[in-house]
Amino acid sequence: MKAIQITHTQQLNVINIEKPQAPGKGEILLKLHYVGFCGSDINTFMGRNTMALNPVIPGHEVGAVIEAVGDGVPEALKPGMVVTCNPYTNCGKCAACRNQRVNACQHNETLGVQRNGAMMEYIVLPWEKVIPAGLLTPKVCALVEPMSVGFHAVSRAQVTDVDVVLVIGCGMVGMGAVVRSATRGATVVAADIDDEKLALAKAMGASYTINTKTDDVHRRLLDITGGFGPDVVIEAVGSPATYQMAVDEVAFTGRVICIGYAKSEVSFQTKYFVQKELDIRGSRNAMPQDFRAVIHYLERGTTPIDKLITKVIRPEEALATMQWWSENPGKVFRILVEF
C-alpha cells in the first residue's frame, strides 16, 4: 500500500509498505480516506521539528472508515462507520495520567511525530483511539483533531459568556479557539496578520478582528474592552512577539493560554506576571470530550468547510505541495491528502 514518508529536510517520498493484517484483539483496521498535513508536519519537512522521528510517516488528522474489527471491540464500532481518531498515547503512570489529564502525558507519542503516523492507505489502531464521527463525512473528519486543540485551550481558559477572549493566530487551531469561545457566549477578538483569515474568523464567530501588522493592537483592545483589556488571551502562533503580546495585553487578573511552541527564547517583563496576578496556562493536545464537542459543532453543517481546506491532493503531489507551503506559510489552513 502507499504511504508518504518524510526522510530528510525538504525530502518526501511516496513509498510502498505492507498492508496491515487483520486486526488483533481490541484493534480496528481503518481505511484512510483523507489525512491532513498540519503545522508539525511542515516543521518536520523543514527540519525544525526536534520531536519528530527521522524518517517518519506523518499524519494524525484522520478521516477514515472502519474496514474490520478484531475480537473484544465494542459492538458500537462496526465496519462501514465513518470515524476519526485520537492520535495521542498515554502511559497511565506519569503525573499527568495520574491526574487524569492524559492529553499531557509525559511520555505521549503522537501519530506522525514521535511514531509513524496515518499518511497511508490503511492503519490499525486500538479501539479506544477510534472516535465515531456521527454524520460527518471522512473529508470533514480530517478537520476534527486540529479544531479540538483549540477547543481544549478554551476549556483550559474556563471561558464563559462574560469574558472577552483575544485569540492570536487564526490558523486551524486558533479558529477552533474562536469557534469554541463564541459558542460559549464570549465576545471574541481574532488577531492575525492575514485579512482573509480574519474575515473567516468573523464568519465563524469573532465579534472583532485586529490585523496585528497594520492596526494599533493596544489601542484597539482598550477600545473594545472599555479600557480593561481582554479577560483571556489564547496564543496560537508560537512566536516571541505573540507571547509578549499576550502578557502585555491581557487584563489584570486575566488568563493567558499558551498553545504555540516558540522556536526561540522569549523575554518577558515578569513584573506583569505579579502585578496583574496572571494565570498563565499551557494547553496541549486535546481530551476525548474536546473531540466530541468538535464533532457536535461540525454536525450542524454551518461551517464553511471549503474555506478551511486549502487543497486536496493525491499522495504523488505531496512533495510539490509541501515545497509550495514552505514558501507560502501564511496562506494555508489545511491540506488534505486523499487516499
Side-chain angles (χ1 to χ4, degrees):
M1 67 175 182
K2 290 181 181 178
I4 292 173
Q5 185 181 64
I6 299 172
T7 54
H8 297 284
T9 301
Q10 299 197 42
Q11 292 186 23
L12 180 152
N13 299 303
V14 179
I15 61 174
N16 284 305
I17 61 174
E18 186 175 351
K19 179 183 173 181
Q21 300 301 311
K25 185 175 181 179
E27 293 181 334
I28 293 179
L29 175 65
L30 300 182
K31 171 68 176 78
L32 281 307
H33 286 242
Y34 295 90
V35 183
F37 273 124
C38 77
S40 64
D41 298 324
I42 190 64
N43 282 325
T44 300
F45 180 73
M46 296 296 292
R48 298 192 298 243
N49 190 348
T50 58
M51 296 186 293
L53 294 177
N54 185 11
V56 66
I57 296 172
H60 53 257
E61 302 173 357
V62 167
V65 171
I66 295 178
E67 182 86 358
V69 299
D71 293 337
V73 173
E75 292 184 3
L77 296 168
K78 302 178 183 297
M81 288 183 65
V82 176
V83 296
T84 188
C85 78
N86 181 331
Y88 324 121
T89 65
N90 58 283
C91 69
K93 299 177 181 178
C94 70
C97 290
R98 182 179 63 184
N99 292 327
Q100 298 183 338
R101 288 164 63 177
V102 294
N103 60 295
C105 173
Q106 182 178 351
H107 305 292
N108 167 67
E109 294 182 352
T110 298
L111 282 174
V113 186
Q114 295 95 343
R115 57 186 172 132
N116 281 326
M119 200 73 74
M120 59 181 72
E121 293 182 81
Y122 294 88
I123 193 171
V124 170
L125 293 175
W127 73 262
E128 295 92 343
K129 297 299 182 181
V130 176
I131 302 172
L135 302 176
L136 302 187
T137 65
K139 188 176 183 180
V140 176
C141 278
L143 304 179
V144 171
E145 191 275 341
M147 291 193 77
S148 74
V149 176
F151 273 46
H152 182 67
V154 173
S155 294
R156 291 283 290 143
Q158 298 175 299
V159 170
T160 72
D161 58 354
V162 300
D163 290 320
V164 176
V165 179
L166 169 65
V167 178
I168 306 174
C170 293
M172 275 297 298
V173 170
M175 206 65 76
V178 168
V179 167
R180 190 56 164 163
S181 298
T183 59
R184 288 191 175 197
T187 300
V188 183
V189 184
D192 200 281
I193 61 173
D194 187 288
D195 285 332
E196 290 182 19
K197 289 183 177 180
L198 291 172
L200 184 54
K202 195 154 193 177
M204 295 182 70
S207 298
Y208 303 92
T209 61
I210 297 176
N211 187 312
T212 57
K213 184 181 288 186
T214 59
D215 293 337
D216 184 334
V217 176
H218 182 67
R219 175 49 53 192
R220 288 272 286 126
L221 287 172
L222 290 181
D223 289 344
I224 291 167
T225 63
F228 291 105
D231 304 284
V232 174
V233 179
I234 297 175
E235 199 288 331
V237 176
S239 77
T242 51
Y243 263 82
Q244 291 165 347
M245 181 187 298
V247 172
D248 289 348
E249 299 300 340
V250 71
F252 275 63
T253 69
R255 289 99 76 195
V256 175
I257 309 302
C258 307
I259 309 174
Y261 280 34
K263 304 302 185 294
S264 57
E265 292 185 0
V266 183
S267 298
F268 291 108
Q269 290 290 339
T270 54
K271 66 178 182 181
Y272 290 143
F273 296 10
V274 178
Q275 287 181 345
K276 292 185 176 183
E277 197 175 57
L278 299 181
D279 290 336
I280 301 177
R281 304 174 185 175
S283 182
R284 184 182 180 193
N285 299 332
M287 294 286 280
Q289 57 264 35
D290 300 310
F291 285 85
R292 292 196 299 271
V294 173
I295 291 168
H296 178 69
Y297 164 73
L298 291 172
E299 281 183 323
R300 300 177 188 176
T302 59
T303 308
I305 297 298
D306 290 344
K307 293 183 179 180
L308 294 176
I309 299 173
T310 306
K311 289 187 177 185
V312 178
I313 63 170
R314 304 297 295 175
E316 293 75 14
E317 301 171 282
L319 175 58
T321 301
M322 293 296 272
Q323 291 170 335
W324 170 81
W325 188 5
S326 68
E327 296 167 359
N328 300 274
K331 294 299 181 182
V332 171
F333 276 105
R334 271 303 174 271
I335 293 169
L336 303 186
V337 180
E338 182 178 6
F339 287 93

